[in-house]
Amino acid sequence: MTEGKSREDSVVIVPSLRRSRPQHADDAPATLDDLVMRVARGDTAAFEAVYDRLADVVFGVIRRVLRDPAQSEEVAQEVLVEVWRTATRFDPDKGGASTWVLTMAHRRAIDRVRSAQAAHDREERVAHRDHVPAFDEVAEQVETRLEQEQVRRCLGNLTELQRESVTLAYYGGYTYREVGELLDVPLGTVKTRLRDGLIRLRDCMGVEA
Amino acid sequence: MTEHEVHTLTGAYAADALPDDERRTFDEHLEQCAACRQEVSELSATTARLGAAVAEPAPEAMRARVLAEIANTRQLSPVVTRMHRRAATKQWFRQPAGIAASLLLVVALGLGVFAGVEARRADQADERADHIAAIFTDPDRAQATADIASGGSGILVVAGPSAIFEARGVKALPDDRTYQLWVIGSNGVRSVGVLGNADSGEIRQFVEGVKDTDQIGLTVEPKGGSDQPTTKPVMVLPVPA
């Protein structure tokens, strides 16, 4: 990509874009953060590389929440286009690119779940507990499909209530109020179990923000 | 809700398990709470790992569709940084000095910070921040100021069809009254914002779809706002060309 210096002077650029000039050896593989910062400058080849690295996880997490493959594909497509559109706002100081993209993907899936009609349907489902997949079923599907050994192991380190709360909220796409309803525990308990569970997962996986 | 109770919401927030209204409330809390932001950031990185663990092959046809769509999609303008904002401010000071320039500086800093915070949120806020950045960086932007009859002064910064109105030193209204902003054009008057009673003394509002033949008017209305102005404007500002 060539850029005239005079042009650059007149263009407002966030510092992260300036920092994104390659600082490592030319043959080092580009990190995802680097790629997204190149996407921010309109680099479509970089976007293709980002797509190839993230399309499966974006689709996977959305499908986990929505189940329906056609809807999941629709939302995944929206999210990936959104990565292109908003790459200019990505700031690596606030977290890595994969967190940025996955947060967006999960949020979009949740938005879809909570759209007006869906909200109505879910209320019905919560009201008629028989139609809600039992927690064990959700957990089993999740756990048999977890591709990362570490995540499975770390989920296994949680107390049962922590694991149920985290799994139903994140993979099931339920609000903490619905999780409380499903597990028949007070709301305050769900909130603290969600937080404690995620903190324990964070420590187990060695996550740094 | 006590401070401690609010703090426990970081987990539900990171898991997207807060109902929308509670999410908005917590978003506001996050702006005040650096420790919460740090924790949310770490827990979001954690939930992202949970997400990455359930990858499954994306439909092959999706790739071509996404690539075709991005070819037709404009990217958002980057957020203006502090450094660049200062540079822009200098330019403004070279323009006719006085209250307008200093007021504009306050507007720029206030909205710029606002833009930075907002940019971390979802789309709608993203677009709004985008609009602010676009207005303040547009080389063709124009501005106009006017006094408010009941106290304070207002400034309008316009770039193309978008504008930002801000007023300071505004007289606070009783609880059952609100300020309301209007665009007065050749086709009539339309409301562009019910602004509350200004108990902070400040008003700030985005305005879309203005023309340089329009005027911006500020009136005092019953709480909740009116369909059309019911009082004489306390301020009228011609939209600058």
Side-chain angles (χ1 to χ4, degrees):
Chain A
M1 195 163 113
T2 57
E3 283 183 24
K5 278 188 181 163
S6 59
R7 178 179 176 274
E8 180 156 346
D9 288 341
S10 65
V11 172
V12 176
I13 300 176
V14 296
S16 56
L17 304 190
R18 293 186 184 280
R19 273 202 310 278
S20 69
R21 311 243 177 270
Q23 291 164 348
H24 39 66
D26 287 347
D27 54 353
T31 67
L32 194 57
D33 286 9
D34 288 338
L35 286 170
V36 170
M37 288 187 284
R38 278 168 52 195
V39 172
R41 298 201 298 269
D43 185 336
T44 51
F47 180 80
E48 289 188 42
V50 170
Y51 182 99
D52 292 338
R53 290 200 199 183
L54 290 180
D56 290 357
V57 295
V58 166
F59 182 71
V61 73
I62 291 169
R63 173 107 206 283
R64 166 63 50 212
V65 174
L66 294 181
R67 302 300 184 90
D68 178 75
Q71 257 193 45
S72 303
E73 183 174 347
E74 197 182 306
V75 175
Q77 184 171 332
E78 278 173 26
V79 168
L80 288 155
V81 171
E82 200 64 7
V83 168
W84 162 262
R85 202 175 76 85
T86 61
T88 46
R89 300 290 169 78
F90 168 66
D91 180 352
D93 293 341
K94 299 194 185 105
S98 68
T99 296
W100 178 63
V101 174
L102 272 159
T103 301
M104 208 186 313
H106 190 261
R107 183 73 212 150
R108 281 295 176 101
I110 295 294
D111 285 346
R112 181 64 68 103
V113 169
R114 303 212 182 133
S115 63
Q117 183 55 45
H120 173 73
D121 291 346
R122 275 182 318 139
E123 280 162 20
E124 298 264 296
R125 274 158 50 204
V126 172
H128 301 89
R129 294 275 293 274
D130 296 348
H131 301 297
V132 179
F135 166 73
D136 287 348
E137 185 191 332
V138 175
E140 191 181 334
Q141 287 168 353
V142 169
E143 288 175 12
T144 54
R145 300 190 55 176
L146 291 182
E147 289 167 31
Q148 287 187 354
E149 192 57 41
Q150 187 190 41
V151 168
R152 188 185 303 140
R153 181 172 55 78
C154 291
L155 276 173
N157 283 345
L158 304 185
T159 68
E160 190 182 348
L161 193 51
Q162 285 172 347
R163 187 170 57 248
E164 287 173 339
S165 302
V166 168
T167 312
L168 283 171
Y170 187 78
Y171 291 125
Y174 294 104
T175 66
Y176 77 90
R177 291 175 184 278
E178 292 165 336
V179 172
E181 177 76 22
L182 289 168
L183 298 178
D184 203 19
V185 292
L187 295 180
T189 308
V190 178
K191 284 189 258 185
T192 52
R193 292 307 174 273
L194 267 176
R195 176 168 179 247
D196 296 346
L198 288 176
I199 286 173
R200 202 183 273 198
L201 283 175
R202 174 196 71 191
D203 295 343
C204 176
M205 297 191 287
V207 171
E208 291 169 20
Chain B
M1 198 179 282
T2 69
E3 190 65 25
H4 177 73
E5 282 169 329
V6 171
H7 200 69
T8 61
L9 286 176
T10 50
Y13 183 89
D16 288 329
L18 288 180
D20 288 346
D21 53 338
E22 292 182 54
R23 184 176 176 87
R24 278 192 295 273
T25 306
F26 192 73
D27 268 330
E28 284 164 20
H29 172 69
L30 274 182
E31 288 173 23
Q32 327 288 333
C33 176
C36 303
R37 280 200 299 276
Q38 175 65 26
E39 188 165 297
V40 161
S41 173
E42 290 168 6
L43 299 187
S44 297
T46 305
T47 54
R49 296 277 284 273
L50 293 178
V54 291
E56 64 177 278
E60 283 180 21
M62 189 170 82
R63 192 175 194 275
R65 280 202 300 276
V66 169
L67 295 182
E69 200 174 333
I70 67 152
N72 296 324
T73 302
R74 184 188 151 75
Q75 292 178 292
L76 285 183
S77 310
V79 175
V80 186
T81 67
R82 200 172 303 272
M83 192 175 65
H84 289 86
R85 222 181 292 130
R86 266 204 297 273
T89 302
K90 269 187 204 155
Q91 285 180 356
W92 288 336
F93 273 124
R94 274 190 232 112
Q95 293 169 1
I99 186 167
S102 60
L103 188 53
L104 188 55
L105 167 61
V106 172
V107 176
L109 292 176
L111 287 174
V113 169
F114 184 52
V117 171
E118 288 290 300
R120 273 183 265 124
R121 293 199 191 161
D123 270 25
Q124 201 182 350
D126 251 5
E127 275 175 23
R128 194 163 45 171
D130 188 33
H131 290 160
I132 304 170
I135 291 169
F136 280 109
T137 56
D138 191 318
D140 296 327
R141 69 182 177 274
Q143 69 199 54
T145 60
D147 288 338
I148 297 169
S150 51
S153 57
I155 181 166
L156 188 73
V157 184
V158 184
S162 304
I164 293 165
F165 174 77
E166 175 158 311
R168 295 177 68 84
V170 181
K171 184 182 158 210
L173 299 173
D175 285 345
D176 60 349
R177 290 283 182 277
T178 178
Y179 286 102
Q180 190 163 0
L181 198 66
W182 311 87
V183 170
I184 307 160
S186 50
N187 296 329
V189 181
R190 67 184 166 94
S191 172
V192 289
V194 177
L195 307 169
N197 69 343
D199 55 6
S200 68
E202 295 181 13
I203 289 173
R204 189 177 287 163
Q205 181 66 24
F206 298 92
V207 185
E208 289 289 353
V210 294
K211 297 194 289 281
D212 59 17
T213 52
D214 292 339
Q215 292 183 308
I216 299 289
L218 185 68
T219 63
V220 175
E221 302 293 336
K223 184 178 184 179
S226 306
D227 290 339
Q228 288 285 303
T230 60
T231 61
K232 192 166 166 259
V234 291
M235 183 213 74
V236 175
L237 246 176
V239 174

